[in-house]
Structures are given as structure tokens and as C-alpha cells.
Amino acid sequence: MMKVLGTLLSAFLAWLLIDQYVVCPTYAFQEPAAFKGDSLYNPYRGFSEEEWGMANFHAHTASWFGLTNGKGDASDVHSAYDSMGYGIRLISEYQQISRHGDSSRSYISAYEHGYNLPKAHHLVLGSATVVWKDYFLPQTLSNKQHLLDRLAEPGNAVVINHPAMRIGFRPADLQFLDNYDALEVLNSYKVAFEYWDSALSAGKMVSIVGNDDTHNAGKRSAIGKFATLVHAPGRRREEVIRSIREGRTIGVWIPHHPPIPFPEKIRKIKGASPSIQTFTADSGVLRLAFRAPVYELTLTGQGGKVLLSKDSLPAGVMLERAFSEEDTYVRVSYRTADGIRYFLNPVVRYDGVRIGNRRNPTVAR
């Protein structure tokens, strides 16, 4: 019996190796190239705060008969995020789509793809079925691209989850990979700004998202740490997915060190506001003004270089910065008086028509 089991195990391992390193298509990746074009794409043109909603796209419950890390059920996730004023709260089980609340017009299907050793995982939003294909062992760049190609569908959004976790991805990988829409820059396990700037510096227009990635919504310290503000006036699936693909998101970092009492956290989140009064990029000049004072205001550009840093900017004061020939993208981050940090998607150079990181990018509106 042991000999038979050993033979079967050897055959299985051989199949894994052949499938991953021989059968998988080999991609010829283009050399990274920075954003270019005579036009500037501003994802916050016409910003109106009431059209934006707070979201958490990444949360787990008890599933797969307890084999995966998760506690509670779907109603626990919805109740927890409802109590904090989130307008959009999704459940993203491993390789499984939760149907909880699917009668609501704001329902968005979601699941976390990936069961490989390196923890190269993806968040898939808006798909009707689960893709089971994965590469279990440390992945080549072609392995990673092949999985993204399998996951990408015309009507969905694909997010690379917790890229800085384990060895699933390297910052250099993000210079080449496409056919995904966003990067989970803010995650409870580790933040990933180096990965984001690596992608942006290579001309990959990928949006920021922030998620708690909670595995126990009943644990109050595990929720309300990170979030995504997303442009979705009707809180509908199509709006959310299009906004993720076109950069109309804002990463939100809610202070949680040292821990604050949960009622105070609720008040802070319900009162959260990016306070954007003006955000334009007309005639090659980026103009910023806020309705309330902001602090630690930073403009970051090509290669993650800090282009401008200000300790504070008073309410209503206009900040102007012209795009130079060397500026390929400029992203903005800042803190408001309540301690919440906001990370905006970049204003980028582009051809004036198409935007995004898909093989067939969306037509910018």
C-alpha cells in the first residue's frame, strides 16, 4: 500500500511540475514604458463626495467545513460593516462565491482566487463562476500572467491581493503584468506602496484599493482599519466595477494604532471625508484645494519619487503644480485632522482616449 501511495504521490508531483513549468504558455513581455501622451487623465474630474461610498471588498467567514481561516457567517460581516456606515461590503471566500444578499441591487459577487503556496492571490469582482486553475508552486512571471488572463472577463474587475505577503509577487513583477485592474495597496497584513509605484512607473494604470481582509468580523479590532472610497452613486455593481477599472477609487487608512474604542472608531469612519474641494488637471497644471485643513500632503511621481511635501495646507488654499516633461504621473496623499489618511490614484499622461491595464482598455469618459 505504501508503495502504491508513494507512486501516486510521485505522479501527482510530476504532473504539478509539468503543468506549471512546461505546459503553461510562455509570454514575451514588453519592456516597461512610462506613461506618455499629450493629455492628462484625472480620475477625480468633477468630484462630488455624495456620489462616493465607503467599501470593504475583502472579508472571510467560516467556510469549506472549517478548512480555511475564517469565523462567523455572512450576516456577521454585513452587520459589522453596516454598523460602521459602509455602503458596500462584500464577502470574498476562497474559491467560493457567497450568495448572501444577492437579491439586493447593490450585490456584487466576489471571491478570492488562489490556493498556491506562495500566496499569489486575486480578488475577483462581478464574475458568475469561479476559476479553479492555479499554479501551486513558486510561480514564474508567465504563470502569473496566465492566471490573470484566465480571471479577466469583460464585465468583471480583478485585483491583486496583498502583493507584499510572502513571495506571491515581487515589485518587479508589477512592471510587466497586465489584464488586472487594481492593487490591494492597503491590507491588514502589509501595505504595498513600493509595488504600486513599480506598476505605475511602468505605465500600468492600476487603481488603489484598501481592505481589512478580516477573517473574523466579530473581532472589532480586525475591522475598520482600511477601506476604499469608490465612485458609485447608485451603489450598483456596474458602477463599482467601472470605477475600479478607471481609477475612481481612494485608499483609506483609518488609524488603529494604538487601538481606539469601537464607538469612537464608528464615529470616526461615519464622519470620514477626503475634503476635496478642487482637483483639476487642466492646461497641464494640477490644482488642489480642500474644504478642511490637511496634513502631511505629499505628491509622488515616477519611481516613487517625492515631488512635493507640505506639513499642512489650510482649508481653501489652492496648491498648483505644473506637469513638467519629466512628470509621467503624480499621485496625492494626505492626512485629515481626524488622523485618517487618504491615498488618491494618480493623474497620468495618456493618449486622450483609453485608460486602464487591460489588453483592451476602457474608453475614458
Side-chain angles (χ1 to χ4, degrees):
M1 176 62 74
M2 294 301 296
K3 185 176 181 180
V4 172
L5 289 175
T7 301
L8 290 174
L9 179 60
S10 297
F12 177 68
L13 291 175
W15 175 81
L16 284 180
L17 289 167
I18 292 170
D19 179 61
Q20 181 165 346
Y21 299 124
V22 178
V23 176
C24 175
T26 299
Y27 288 76
F29 293 93
Q30 295 184 350
E31 283 300 308
F35 291 113
K36 62 181 180 180
D38 296 328
S39 300
L40 294 178
Y41 178 72
N42 172 17
Y44 306 106
R45 179 169 57 90
F47 182 86
S48 180
E49 187 168 328
E50 62 270 14
E51 295 181 348
W52 291 63
M54 192 80 83
N56 184 79
F57 299 121
H58 190 176
H60 297 273
T61 69
S63 62
W64 294 110
F65 306 102
L67 294 175
T68 57
N69 179 16
K71 294 183 178 180
D73 58 24
S75 62
D76 295 326
V77 171
H78 282 227
S79 296
Y81 285 96
D82 285 346
S83 73
M84 294 184 291
Y86 283 62
I88 301 165
R89 60 279 187 272
L90 307 187
I91 298 161
S92 54
E93 308 290 20
Y94 297 108
Q95 298 298 132
Q96 188 179 75
I97 295 173
S98 171
R99 301 299 176 185
H100 185 85
D102 62 0
S103 61
S104 168
R105 72 172 187 170
S106 61
Y107 170 79
I108 303 172
S109 66
Y111 73 96
E112 184 165 11
H113 171 272
Y115 45 88
N116 53 76
L117 286 175
K119 282 282 187 178
H121 289 184
H122 315 91
L123 180 66
V124 184
L125 306 179
S127 289
T129 58
V130 169
V131 172
W132 279 94
K133 180 68 177 178
D134 200 5
Y135 293 115
F136 190 71
L137 303 172
Q139 296 176 357
T140 66
L141 197 61
S142 287
N143 291 157
K144 296 169 187 177
Q145 187 62 67
H146 187 226
L147 292 174
L148 290 170
D149 290 352
R150 292 287 296 269
L151 295 171
E153 299 172 2
N156 74 358
V158 178
V159 181
I160 291 181
N161 274 355
H162 44 62
M165 191 177 183
R166 286 197 196 172
I167 58 169
F169 295 91
R170 301 172 304 152
D173 294 341
L174 282 300
Q175 297 176 17
F176 299 95
L177 297 174
D178 62 12
N179 242 9
Y180 72 100
D181 307 293
L183 200 64
E184 193 179 55
V185 179
L186 303 176
N187 177 280
S188 294
Y189 294 100
K190 199 169 185 180
V191 297
F193 293 103
E194 180 185 1
Y195 292 73
W196 192 28
D197 280 313
S198 182
L200 295 175
S201 296
K204 308 293 186 182
M205 181 57 192
V206 295
S207 300
I208 186 172
V209 298
N211 292 309
D212 286 333
D213 189 6
T214 180
H215 289 250
N216 182 3
K219 185 178 180 181
R220 292 180 171 182
S221 62
I223 60 175
K225 299 162 73 173
F226 299 104
T228 306
L229 275 171
V230 59
H231 181 247
R235 306 297 189 262
R236 293 192 298 272
R237 168 187 172 276
E238 296 80 6
E239 295 172 336
V240 171
I241 289 174
R242 187 173 180 101
S243 289
I244 289 173
R245 293 177 67 163
E246 295 184 358
R248 289 191 296 280
T249 63
I250 297 173
V252 183
W253 187 334
I254 301 151
H256 50 273
H257 291 301
I260 60 176
F262 194 62
E264 182 181 340
K265 182 187 287 189
I266 291 175
R267 288 194 297 271
K268 192 178 290 286
I269 294 173
K270 286 186 174 181
S273 168
S275 297
I276 296 172
Q277 183 180 69
T278 301
F279 196 107
T280 63
D282 302 323
S283 303
V285 179
L286 179 64
R287 294 180 175 85
L288 296 171
F290 300 90
R291 291 185 288 100
V294 300
Y295 306 90
E296 300 172 48
L297 175 68
T298 303
L299 273 59
T300 303
Q302 184 72 17
K305 179 182 178 181
V306 174
L307 304 174
L308 182 149
S309 180
K310 294 181 70 68
D311 291 337
S312 63
L313 184 69
V317 173
M318 185 73 72
L319 175 70
E320 297 187 356
R321 187 186 187 281
F323 259 72
S324 69
E325 291 184 1
E326 291 74 30
D327 289 328
T328 62
Y329 74 90
V330 177
R331 63 176 182 86
V332 179
S333 61
Y334 55 93
R335 174 178 61 82
T336 47
D338 55 11
I340 296 178
R341 297 179 182 274
Y342 297 90
F343 301 88
L344 277 58
N345 285 311
V347 173
V348 305
R349 293 191 178 277
Y350 81 125
D351 62 7
V353 180
R354 298 181 182 277
I355 200 72
N357 192 41
R358 295 283 182 120
R359 301 277 168 72
N360 298 303
T362 53
V363 177
R365 290 186 292 181

